[in-house]
Amino acid sequence: MMYSDKVMEHFYSPRNMGILGDANGIGEAGDPNCGDIMKIYIKVEDNIITSVKFKAFGCGSAIASSSIATELIKGKTLEQAWRLTNKSVIEALEGLPALKQHCSVLAEQTIHNAINNYRESQRLELWKNDLK
Ligand code: FES
């Protein structure tokens, strides 16, 4: 089987799918090659992501990646969520085929954009990829 059970499970039963009405950070990212688009809504309270939802106009791996990514950042601080790499998304999914690794990169980028969107609204300094 090309896809792990974990990928299939998150594809068939995505977690936290939808729109978060009271989000205070929204991030979007797209991959110009495949045309897939991901959107993540976060609600940040006292530096903690207390709710998160996603929408993905994309492939099964994009749906599975964003679904598991929302689980991984829920309840985390902004710093912890920022450090979620696409590699940890792949690990949590028990692997992605080589051609589908960019789907997990999309999840990482979308989270970064949502966090910076929140930080911008709070007039906080925007973070760069290499945040220490
Ligand atoms: Fe592009 Fe999955 S094929 S995000």
Side-chain angles (χ1 to χ4, degrees):
M1 171 55 119
M2 189 177 162
Y3 291 107
S4 72
D5 291 345
K6 202 78 174 177
V7 172
M8 296 309 284
E9 191 216 325
H10 277 267
F11 172 65
Y12 284 121
S13 316
R15 323 291 202 273
N16 306 310
M17 192 159 67
I19 294 174
L20 196 61
D22 60 347
N24 52 12
I26 302 177
E28 195 179 276
D31 186 299
N33 292 310
C34 63
D36 290 357
I37 299 167
M38 205 178 273
K39 207 162 176 174
I40 286 184
Y41 304 80
I42 54 174
K43 169 95 201 248
V44 184
E45 291 168 293
D46 295 330
N47 202 48
I48 306 274
I49 297 177
T50 52
S51 327
V52 48
K53 288 209 183 278
F54 83 92
K55 293 196 90 177
F57 182 82
C59 72
S61 302
I63 291 167
S65 293
S66 35
S67 167
I68 207 152
T70 60
E71 286 198 318
L72 291 168
I73 64 171
K74 196 169 182 177
K76 298 284 163 56
T77 65
L78 287 184
E79 288 80 0
Q80 289 169 329
W82 185 274
R83 291 192 186 100
L84 179 77
T85 61
N86 82 296
K87 289 204 170 58
S88 5
V89 170
I90 293 175
E91 257 174 49
L93 286 174
E94 293 162 6
L96 274 179
L99 279 172
K100 291 290 178 180
Q101 308 246 322
H102 76 272
C103 317
S104 63
V105 174
L106 211 51
E108 180 187 321
Q109 286 172 346
T110 309
I111 290 169
H112 284 182
N113 290 342
I115 290 175
N116 268 341
N117 177 254
Y118 166 78
R119 293 186 63 84
E120 194 176 13
S121 74
Q122 302 297 308
R123 297 177 197 283
L124 296 166
E125 173 205 349
L126 298 190
W127 283 343
K128 308 252 165 51
N129 278 331
D130 58 353
L131 178 78
K132 291 289 179 304

